[in-house]
Short mmCIF file of all heavy atoms in Angstrom, two decimals:
data_model
loop_
_atom_site.label_atom_id
_atom_site.label_comp_id
_atom_site.label_asym_id
_atom_site.label_seq_id
_atom_site.Cartn_x
_atom_site.Cartn_y
_atom_site.Cartn_z
N ARG A 1 -12.87 9.52 6.90
CA ARG A 1 -13.05 9.76 8.34
C ARG A 1 -11.77 9.44 9.11
O ARG A 1 -11.05 8.53 8.75
CB ARG A 1 -14.19 8.90 8.88
CG ARG A 1 -15.52 9.28 8.30
CD ARG A 1 -16.63 8.40 8.87
NE ARG A 1 -17.87 8.67 8.19
CZ ARG A 1 -18.71 9.64 8.54
NH1 ARG A 1 -18.44 10.40 9.57
NH2 ARG A 1 -19.83 9.84 7.86
N THR A 2 -11.53 10.18 10.13
CA THR A 2 -10.36 10.03 11.02
C THR A 2 -9.05 9.94 10.24
O THR A 2 -8.14 9.19 10.61
CB THR A 2 -10.50 8.83 11.99
OG1 THR A 2 -10.57 7.60 11.23
CG2 THR A 2 -11.74 8.96 12.86
N ALA A 3 -8.96 10.68 9.15
CA ALA A 3 -7.75 10.80 8.31
C ALA A 3 -7.29 9.46 7.72
O ALA A 3 -6.12 9.27 7.45
CB ALA A 3 -6.62 11.46 9.10
N VAL A 4 -8.23 8.55 7.49
CA VAL A 4 -7.92 7.25 6.88
C VAL A 4 -7.77 7.42 5.38
O VAL A 4 -8.56 8.10 4.73
CB VAL A 4 -9.03 6.23 7.21
CG1 VAL A 4 -8.89 4.98 6.36
CG2 VAL A 4 -9.00 5.88 8.68
N ASP A 5 -6.76 6.76 4.82
CA ASP A 5 -6.54 6.77 3.37
C ASP A 5 -7.52 5.80 2.72
O ASP A 5 -7.17 4.65 2.42
CB ASP A 5 -5.10 6.38 3.04
CG ASP A 5 -4.12 7.48 3.34
OD1 ASP A 5 -4.43 8.65 3.03
OD2 ASP A 5 -3.05 7.18 3.88
N THR A 6 -8.72 6.26 2.50
CA THR A 6 -9.77 5.44 1.90
C THR A 6 -9.34 4.97 0.52
O THR A 6 -9.57 3.82 0.15
CB THR A 6 -11.09 6.25 1.82
OG1 THR A 6 -11.42 6.69 3.15
CG2 THR A 6 -12.22 5.42 1.26
N VAL A 7 -8.72 5.86 -0.25
CA VAL A 7 -8.08 5.52 -1.52
C VAL A 7 -6.69 6.12 -1.48
O VAL A 7 -6.52 7.32 -1.25
CB VAL A 7 -8.86 6.05 -2.74
CG1 VAL A 7 -8.12 5.73 -4.04
CG2 VAL A 7 -10.28 5.49 -2.78
N TRP A 8 -5.69 5.27 -1.69
CA TRP A 8 -4.30 5.71 -1.65
C TRP A 8 -3.92 6.53 -2.89
O TRP A 8 -4.58 6.45 -3.92
CB TRP A 8 -3.37 4.52 -1.60
CG TRP A 8 -3.46 3.67 -0.39
CD1 TRP A 8 -3.87 4.03 0.86
CD2 TRP A 8 -3.10 2.28 -0.30
NE1 TRP A 8 -3.79 2.96 1.72
CE2 TRP A 8 -3.32 1.88 1.03
CE3 TRP A 8 -2.61 1.36 -1.21
CZ2 TRP A 8 -3.06 0.58 1.47
CZ3 TRP A 8 -2.36 0.07 -0.78
CH2 TRP A 8 -2.58 -0.31 0.55
N SER A 9 -2.81 7.23 -2.78
CA SER A 9 -2.22 7.90 -3.94
C SER A 9 -1.64 6.85 -4.87
O SER A 9 -1.40 5.71 -4.48
CB SER A 9 -1.11 8.85 -3.48
OG SER A 9 -0.03 8.09 -2.97
N VAL A 10 -1.38 7.23 -6.12
CA VAL A 10 -0.77 6.32 -7.09
C VAL A 10 0.54 5.78 -6.53
O VAL A 10 0.81 4.58 -6.59
CB VAL A 10 -0.51 7.04 -8.44
CG1 VAL A 10 0.26 6.14 -9.39
CG2 VAL A 10 -1.81 7.49 -9.05
N GLU A 11 1.35 6.66 -5.97
CA GLU A 11 2.65 6.24 -5.42
C GLU A 11 2.48 5.17 -4.34
O GLU A 11 3.18 4.16 -4.32
CB GLU A 11 3.41 7.44 -4.87
CG GLU A 11 4.76 7.08 -4.29
CD GLU A 11 5.49 8.29 -3.73
OE1 GLU A 11 5.15 9.42 -4.08
OE2 GLU A 11 6.41 8.07 -2.92
N GLN A 12 1.54 5.38 -3.45
CA GLN A 12 1.32 4.42 -2.37
C GLN A 12 0.77 3.11 -2.91
O GLN A 12 1.13 2.03 -2.42
CB GLN A 12 0.40 5.00 -1.30
CG GLN A 12 0.33 4.14 -0.06
CD GLN A 12 -0.42 4.79 1.08
OE1 GLN A 12 -0.95 5.89 0.95
NE2 GLN A 12 -0.48 4.11 2.21
N ILE A 13 -0.10 3.17 -3.91
CA ILE A 13 -0.63 1.94 -4.53
C ILE A 13 0.52 1.11 -5.07
O ILE A 13 0.62 -0.09 -4.81
CB ILE A 13 -1.65 2.28 -5.64
CG1 ILE A 13 -2.94 2.84 -5.02
CG2 ILE A 13 -1.95 1.04 -6.50
CD1 ILE A 13 -3.91 3.42 -6.02
N VAL A 14 1.41 1.74 -5.81
CA VAL A 14 2.55 1.01 -6.39
C VAL A 14 3.45 0.45 -5.29
O VAL A 14 3.77 -0.73 -5.28
CB VAL A 14 3.35 1.91 -7.35
CG1 VAL A 14 4.65 1.24 -7.78
CG2 VAL A 14 2.50 2.28 -8.56
N GLU A 15 3.86 1.30 -4.36
CA GLU A 15 4.80 0.87 -3.33
C GLU A 15 4.24 -0.26 -2.48
O GLU A 15 4.94 -1.24 -2.20
CB GLU A 15 5.22 2.05 -2.45
CG GLU A 15 5.98 3.15 -3.19
CD GLU A 15 7.20 2.64 -3.95
OE1 GLU A 15 7.93 1.77 -3.42
OE2 GLU A 15 7.40 3.09 -5.09
N GLN A 16 3.00 -0.13 -2.04
CA GLN A 16 2.41 -1.17 -1.18
C GLN A 16 2.24 -2.49 -1.92
O GLN A 16 2.53 -3.55 -1.37
CB GLN A 16 1.06 -0.70 -0.62
CG GLN A 16 1.18 0.37 0.43
CD GLN A 16 1.89 -0.14 1.67
OE1 GLN A 16 1.65 -1.23 2.16
NE2 GLN A 16 2.79 0.66 2.20
N ASN A 17 1.78 -2.43 -3.17
CA ASN A 17 1.59 -3.67 -3.92
C ASN A 17 2.91 -4.35 -4.23
O ASN A 17 3.02 -5.57 -4.10
CB ASN A 17 0.78 -3.40 -5.19
CG ASN A 17 -0.70 -3.31 -4.88
OD1 ASN A 17 -1.36 -4.31 -4.71
ND2 ASN A 17 -1.19 -2.08 -4.76
N LEU A 18 3.92 -3.60 -4.62
CA LEU A 18 5.23 -4.20 -4.89
C LEU A 18 5.83 -4.79 -3.61
O LEU A 18 6.41 -5.88 -3.64
CB LEU A 18 6.18 -3.19 -5.52
CG LEU A 18 5.80 -2.72 -6.93
CD1 LEU A 18 6.80 -1.69 -7.44
CD2 LEU A 18 5.69 -3.90 -7.89
N PHE A 19 5.67 -4.11 -2.51
CA PHE A 19 6.16 -4.61 -1.23
C PHE A 19 5.47 -5.92 -0.85
O PHE A 19 6.12 -6.90 -0.50
CB PHE A 19 5.97 -3.55 -0.14
CG PHE A 19 6.34 -4.03 1.23
CD1 PHE A 19 7.66 -4.26 1.57
CD2 PHE A 19 5.36 -4.26 2.18
CE1 PHE A 19 8.01 -4.71 2.84
CE2 PHE A 19 5.69 -4.71 3.45
CZ PHE A 19 7.03 -4.93 3.78
N PHE A 20 4.16 -5.94 -0.91
CA PHE A 20 3.42 -7.13 -0.51
C PHE A 20 3.73 -8.32 -1.41
O PHE A 20 3.71 -9.46 -0.96
CB PHE A 20 1.91 -6.86 -0.50
CG PHE A 20 1.41 -6.36 0.81
CD1 PHE A 20 1.72 -5.08 1.25
CD2 PHE A 20 0.65 -7.16 1.64
CE1 PHE A 20 1.28 -4.62 2.48
CE2 PHE A 20 0.21 -6.71 2.86
CZ PHE A 20 0.53 -5.44 3.29
N ARG A 21 4.02 -8.07 -2.66
CA ARG A 21 4.32 -9.17 -3.59
C ARG A 21 5.75 -9.67 -3.49
O ARG A 21 6.05 -10.76 -3.96
CB ARG A 21 4.05 -8.71 -5.02
CG ARG A 21 2.59 -8.43 -5.28
CD ARG A 21 2.39 -7.85 -6.65
NE ARG A 21 1.03 -7.35 -6.78
CZ ARG A 21 0.62 -6.61 -7.77
NH1 ARG A 21 1.45 -6.30 -8.76
NH2 ARG A 21 -0.63 -6.18 -7.81
N SER A 22 6.64 -8.87 -2.91
CA SER A 22 8.06 -9.25 -2.93
C SER A 22 8.67 -9.53 -1.56
O SER A 22 9.76 -10.09 -1.49
CB SER A 22 8.87 -8.15 -3.62
OG SER A 22 8.82 -6.95 -2.86
N ASP A 23 8.03 -9.15 -0.48
CA ASP A 23 8.60 -9.33 0.85
C ASP A 23 8.64 -10.82 1.21
O ASP A 23 7.61 -11.49 1.25
CB ASP A 23 7.78 -8.56 1.88
CG ASP A 23 8.41 -8.60 3.25
OD1 ASP A 23 9.26 -7.74 3.55
OD2 ASP A 23 8.07 -9.52 4.01
N SER A 24 9.83 -11.34 1.48
CA SER A 24 9.99 -12.77 1.74
C SER A 24 9.30 -13.21 3.05
O SER A 24 8.81 -14.33 3.14
CB SER A 24 11.46 -13.16 1.77
OG SER A 24 12.15 -12.44 2.78
N SER A 25 9.26 -12.34 4.04
CA SER A 25 8.59 -12.73 5.28
C SER A 25 7.08 -12.85 5.07
O SER A 25 6.43 -13.70 5.68
CB SER A 25 8.90 -11.75 6.41
OG SER A 25 8.38 -10.47 6.12
N PHE A 26 6.52 -12.02 4.20
CA PHE A 26 5.09 -12.13 3.90
C PHE A 26 4.80 -13.44 3.19
O PHE A 26 3.76 -14.05 3.41
CB PHE A 26 4.63 -10.96 3.04
CG PHE A 26 4.39 -9.69 3.81
CD1 PHE A 26 4.78 -9.53 5.12
CD2 PHE A 26 3.73 -8.63 3.20
CE1 PHE A 26 4.55 -8.36 5.82
CE2 PHE A 26 3.49 -7.45 3.89
CZ PHE A 26 3.89 -7.32 5.19
#
């Protein structure tokens, strides 16, 4: 609904998880 990514693409899954695990500010 409303163009929400209910399930991400493989590429987005990888990029978001690697970002969240490595970003020092997070």
Side-chain angles (χ1 to χ4, degrees):
R1 295 180 186 274
T2 63
V4 167
D5 286 318
T6 303
V7 177
W8 296 334
S9 67
V10 174
E11 180 181 342
Q12 189 172 3
I13 290 170
V14 171
E15 296 306 320
Q16 288 295 317
N17 281 281
L18 293 179
F19 175 70
F20 270 72
R21 294 175 191 169
S22 65
D23 186 88
S24 60
S25 64
F26 280 11

